[in-house]
Amino acid sequence: MALNNTYEARLQQETAVGAGVQILLLALLGPAIGMGPAGWLTGLAFAFATWAVLSRALHRSRLRSFGPANRVTLGRATLVGGVTALVADSFRSAPPVTLLVTLTAVALLLDGVDGKVARRTGTSSALGARFDMEVDAFLILVLSVYVSTQLGPWVLLIGGMRYAFVAAARVAPWLTAPLPPSFARKTVAAIQGVCLLVAGAELLPGPANLAITLLALGSLVWSFGRDVLWLWRNSRVPARVPAEQPRQLLELELAAR
């Protein structure tokens, strides 16, 4: 019991350090760009929510070590918190686009690093995969909010689609069934952040940004639609009975007679 408490204490220290680094990043960004109350409050809320949710998940997972891969993901979450604060502050005044693009680009580049680190160190876990996915999803949501101020509220469909899928799964449990691995699904997920980053940077003409964002949305609708159709079809297929089961049932029936 004491050993388990020691492991949990170490895990909680990791999450506390992550929250501290997040607050430090805000302390550096705030004075540098003259961040307003919305940016500060949103950034602090993100830091607290990340700490609280991750601490609870670690407690339930019974992991003995936070692991190097989760540290990379926690670093990405810190960058996403900075992006979130900048986007929240953008409703007050135009954000420093270079800073926003830099934080987002580094977070996107590190997206594939944590998975590789987990595989090479043998520290892959369900918690780590879920943590990585949630950080990705929230970054896409924040970027879609930012780009929607330029192209229109329809861009929010990109960031909200994954959360709508999760909400729908509560009503239709068949949506929670595991999906087969898909390179296409991973590719579509990866290009969402890139497309939104390019559109948000406004380096290209307006029509080009619109086309890129529409491409991202179209590919995402296709990917989700394909997965939902696969899940629905498989939910309609009756469970297969093992080959030996009918013979066993017949023997029981004959014995009863």
Side-chain angles (χ1 to χ4, degrees), residues 3 52 57 70 77 81 85 103 119 127 144-145 148 183 186 206 223 249:
L3 188 60
N70 284 333
L103 292 177
R119 289 188 293 271
L127 173 64
S144 67
V145 170
S148 70
F183 179 76
K186 293 180 180 179
S223 180
L249 291 175

Side-chain angles (χ1 to χ4, degrees), residues 52-187:
V53 173
L54 187 56
S55 295
R56 182 181 179 185
L58 286 169
H59 174 73
R60 298 176 63 181
S61 68
R62 303 294 184 182
L63 287 179
R64 291 192 172 187
S65 172
F66 195 66
N70 284 333
R71 293 189 184 99
V72 175
T73 308
L74 187 58
R76 290 180 52 233
T78 300
L79 297 175
V80 172
V83 174
T84 302
L86 292 176
V87 171
D89 195 60
S90 69
F91 290 93
R92 179 185 62 90
S93 61
V97 177
T98 302
L99 180 59
L100 179 66
V101 169
T102 300
L103 292 177
T104 304
V106 175
L108 291 174
L109 288 173
L110 290 175
D111 184 19
V113 174
D114 43 15
K116 292 181 180 179
V117 170
R119 289 188 293 271
R120 289 184 179 181
T121 58
T123 55
S124 300
S125 66
L127 173 64
R130 180 66 182 272
F131 185 24
D132 177 58
M133 181 177 63
E134 295 299 340
V135 171
D136 290 343
F138 194 79
L139 177 58
I140 298 303
L141 176 62
V142 171
L143 290 176
S144 67
V145 170
Y146 180 65
V147 177
S148 70
T149 62
Q150 305 165 16
L151 300 179
W154 60 270
V155 183
L156 295 174
L157 292 172
I158 297 177
M161 198 170 301
R162 189 257 174 182
Y163 295 99
F165 180 85
V166 172
R170 294 183 177 273
V171 181
W174 52 269
L175 289 171
T176 62
L179 287 162
S182 170
F183 179 76
R185 186 188 309 117
K186 293 180 180 179
T187 302

Side-chain angles (χ1 to χ4, degrees), residues 241-252:
V241 179
E244 67 276 7
Q245 188 169 344
R247 180 176 57 83
Q248 294 172 352
L249 291 175
L250 179 59
E251 291 175 353
L252 290 174

